[in-house]
Amino acid sequence: GAGVSQTPSNKVTEKGKYVELRCDPISGHTALYWYRQSLGQGPEFLIYFQGTGAADDSGLPNDRFFAVRPEGSVSTLKIQRTERGDSAVYLCASSLNRDRGTGELFFGEGSRLTVL
Amino acid sequence: EDKVVQSPLSLVVHEGDTVTLNCSYEVTNFRSLLWYKQEKKAPTFLFMLTSSGIEKKSGRLSSILDKKELFSILNITATQTGDSAVYLCAVVLYNQGGKLIFGQGTELSVKP
């Protein structure tokens, strides 16, 4: 597609529920990133994919968070047993092969998650 | 611990004013520094800086990096209401792939 697409744009759920957030990167971009942004803060790194594999998942806060990218394109961020502290905007970004060092990430509009 | 600090956190100016936004960093294995503009949701790329002392310019916006003093500034001249946004600074490290370390952002509000 023309840009990074994220769905849903808004998700309200109850504490303890399971949620999935989807990211469709720019066509041809091999690198995909998930960030989380809380109100008044900068984005916080969660996980980075190069192709199908997670090259760096050091930012995932705990084992309730998991992300996949089975075919090297669309990615899904999965959050189990949601907690109120998970409420944030989840941003997805993509870029050309990171090793080329272009430095420019293209961000989606984000998925706003609210856990009641 | 690697960190990026932006100042001020918020700023209110009037149209036509010139503003300077600051970004300082303390990181290991610095590779480059990026500036983004975030209006509602998606941050949009402004500049990437890798070398000290070389100004990057785009219209009324310009930015420069000082790798000795570990900071960057973003200047906006003749501000317009459309410049109102959160400006984010982020650092890229060597050997850490796609991981950007962001500052907390500067919220700029330009009044007519």
Side-chain angles (χ1 to χ4, degrees):
Chain A
V4 178
S5 175
Q6 291 188 246
T7 55
S9 56
N10 279 287
K11 175 73 176 177
V12 179
T13 191
E14 293 180 342
K15 180 173 178 291
K17 299 289 188 183
Y18 168 82
V19 298
E20 289 190 352
L21 307 176
R22 175 191 165 104
C23 173
D24 197 345
I26 292 172
S27 179
H29 281 191
T30 59
L32 184 147
Y33 316 80
W34 284 99
Y35 285 81
R36 176 169 71 173
Q37 188 173 24
S38 300
L39 192 63
Q41 300 295 318
E44 173 190 22
F45 172 80
L46 295 177
I47 186 169
Y48 153 58
F49 288 90
Q50 185 60 47
T52 60
D56 184 350
D57 65 357
S58 62
L60 294 178
N62 51 60
D63 61 6
R64 295 187 297 106
F65 289 74
F66 189 70
V68 296
R69 195 185 185 199
E71 297 178 359
S73 178
V74 171
S75 175
T76 304
L77 178 66
K78 308 180 181 194
I79 310 173
Q80 299 177 319
R81 305 184 304 280
T82 51
E83 299 177 357
R84 292 192 180 90
D86 299 335
S87 296
V89 175
Y90 289 81
L91 293 166
C92 178
S94 70
S95 74
L96 294 171
N97 189 333
R98 189 67 181 147
D99 292 338
R100 295 185 185 173
T102 62
E104 181 175 358
L105 270 62
F106 296 85
F107 282 87
E109 297 274 295
S111 292
R112 180 178 296 279
L113 174 66
T114 303
V115 182
L116 301 177
Chain B
E1 182 186 349
D2 297 321
K3 65 179 180 180
V4 177
V5 178
Q6 293 185 245
S7 64
L9 294 182
S10 65
L11 189 57
V12 180
V13 300
H14 288 94
E15 275 193 312
D17 288 349
T18 293
V19 297
T20 298
L21 309 182
N22 302 289
C23 175
S24 64
Y25 59 92
E26 290 181 32
V27 301
T28 54
N29 294 318
F30 174 88
R31 181 174 185 177
S32 59
L33 185 145
L34 311 176
W35 283 96
Y36 283 86
K37 178 182 182 182
Q38 186 174 30
E39 291 181 80
K40 292 272 172 110
K41 292 184 179 179
T44 54
F45 175 80
L46 294 175
F47 298 112
M48 181 175 74
L49 304 159
T50 54
S51 301
S52 270
I54 299 175
E55 184 183 56
K56 292 281 184 90
K57 197 170 172 64
S58 176
R60 295 177 294 103
L61 277 66
S62 63
S63 184
I64 198 161
L65 174 67
D66 186 327
K67 291 169 73 172
K68 182 179 176 186
E69 300 298 329
L70 309 183
F71 77 91
S72 174
I73 59 172
L74 175 68
N75 279 318
I76 308 175
T77 59
T79 52
Q80 303 171 358
T81 55
D83 295 328
S84 297
V86 173
Y87 290 84
L88 294 165
C89 168
V91 168
V92 182
L93 306 180
Y94 277 108
N95 303 322
Q96 293 208 27
K99 183 177 180 178
L100 299 187
I101 302 171
F102 281 89
Q104 66 272 59
T106 293
E107 183 173 12
L108 174 65
S109 179
V110 181
K111 303 295 186 186

